[in-house]
Every structure is written in C-alpha cells, then in structure tokens.
Amino acid sequence: MKTNDVILKTTAQVVFFIIFLFSIHIFLAGHFAPGGGFVGGLLTSSALVLLLLAYDLKTVQTLLPINYTIMTASGLVLALGTASIGMFLGRPFFKHYFDHFYLPLIGDTELHTAMLFDTGVYLVVVGVTMTIIQSIGGDD
Amino acid sequence: MAFQIMLNFFIAFIWMFLSSSFSSSSFVIGFMLGMLMIYIMRNFFPGRLYISRVWALVKLTMLFMKELMLANIQVFMVIIKPKLDMRPAIFAMQTELEHDWEITLLSSLITLTPGTIVVHVSDDSKTLYIHAIDIDDVESAVDSIKNSFEKAIMEVSRS
C-alpha cells in the first residue's frame, strides 16, 4: 500500500538545502574551528540519505548521476597525491605547504594543501557512505 | 511575484552602482527605493504586489504565535483537571488548498498547536485526518481551523 507522504517529501525538499549548506560550512571550517572533511562528508551523505528516504533510489540517481565507486577512488588519489607533493620536492612524505593569497570576493586568505587532503577525505567519506547505503537499499 | 522580487534586487544593485558604494547599507537603501517604485507602478504588474504577500506571511506568523499560546493553555487545563473527562477523536477535514507546500504548512501548523495532530493525508491530498485530544463538536473544530490557518495560508498564496 502506497501512502500519501506529501508532508515528508515537501519537508525533505526544504531541509535538504539547509543540511547541504551546513555540511559545506563544516567542511570549510575544519582548520581553525571544529569540523573537517570527515564530518562534512557524513553531513553531505546524510542530506542525500534524506532524499533517498523521502523519494526512491531511482529518483536520486537521476538527480545525481554519480558513480560513487569512482568518487571514492578519486578521493583516495587526491589524498595520496597531496601527500606525495613533498617527495617530488625532496621533502618528507606528507610535508604540507601554505601561503597567503588574495582571492576575489573573499580577500586575504590562507590557502593550505591540507585543504586538498581534506577534500580527498570528504570525497572518500561521501562515496563510501553512499555506496554502502545504496547497495543495501537497492537490493531488488 | 518572483519577477517583482527580481526587479527589486535589480533596482537595489543599480542604486549601488549609481552611488558607487558597495556596502550592505546602500543595498538596503536601494531595496527600499525599489519597494517604493514597485508600489507606484503596481497597476502595471500582473498579480499582487509581493510586499502584501510578505505582510500576509507576517500576519500568519503572528496568528500562529497567538494560537500556540491559547492552545497550550487549553491543554494545560485538560492535564490539571482532577476528573479525566476529555473526549479524544479523529475527524476528517476537507481542505481547499492545492499546492504541496500549502498542505505541508497547514499540517505543520495544526500539529504544532497542541491538542491536534495530523495523522494522515488522503491520497488525493484533499482530506486531512486530524486527531484531537479534547473535542466537543467536530464542526466547530473544523470551522476554527478553516477560519484561522487555512484562510491565512490562502491569503499568502493568492496570486
């Protein structure tokens, strides 16, 4: 029996934006404040899982046609590549670099290669979580 | 509606460029000027002014606050009564709202005012099934919801 879950669907549409924005905020705040790649990735996948709960697997896959296995792999490659920058420059493995840059709209920003590593972590976490949930859920 | 909001933002940006000061204060001033201009040109737009819709939304919020207070006092009275003579009931309410967000908003408002909970929405989204904790007369309850919340939501969504 299919019930009419209009309330759940409409609420999920609204709440998705808030969770997604908050996940990006947490992901970017990881250097000087609580947060980081792992929590941000988990929050992003929780926003996607909310959509999965409100709608179904096919709808979400047409919305976001992402192969999560490739996403996990690219995250691992990014993290490994960031870690091995120092090796090519004759420094130890995992040597990080940072500098101050002037970005448009934001102004003086400190950019750090740890951010790239964090992006790798983020991609791996989103990919692994979504892979697990989709393989358990799409069992038909 | 959406076009008016876009136009208002556009006017605010033009004001920022004219006065060549890109701060939030000049944006707010430009936005106010845009509101005034859109009010002057109100007969040339199809549909209502968006400012009146915003005002209706404010009124809906105020109404919700008032109902929340009153209904909480009512439920408190039901709780502290020594004699338990409340009469719970589930009744159906026909709604005239059409859009999904309107039905969601109405259901949330009904659920958030204590004493009533929306338990089910029918498949064609025309009937809400509501559980009430203490009800004397179903007709009067339906009427009160219809006259307060539904009318206020319609006031917001009327194009």
Side-chain angles (χ1 to χ4, degrees), chain A residues 66-95:
Chain A
I66 297 174
N67 187 339
Y68 289 104
T69 323
I70 292 176
M71 193 174 176
T72 312
S74 58
L76 281 172
V77 166
L78 191 63
L80 197 65
T82 314
S84 49
I85 288 174
M87 290 177 71
F88 295 112
L89 301 173
R91 292 296 185 87
F93 189 59
F94 259 118
K95 165 81 180 149

Side-chain angles (χ1 to χ4, degrees), chain A residues 2-4 6-7 10-11, chain B residues 100 104 107 121-123 125:
Chain A
K2 194 96 178 75
T3 51
N4 184 13
V6 57
I7 300 174
T10 320
T11 316
Chain B
D100 280 359
T104 307
S107 311
V121 184
S122 71
D123 288 344
S125 303

Side-chain angles (χ1 to χ4, degrees), chain B residues 128-147:
Chain B
L128 299 178
Y129 294 94
I130 301 170
H131 179 273
I133 191 172
D134 184 15
I135 194 166
D136 306 325
D137 178 18
V138 171
E139 294 298 322
S140 70
V142 169
D143 279 346
S144 71
I145 291 173
K146 266 195 176 309
N147 287 328

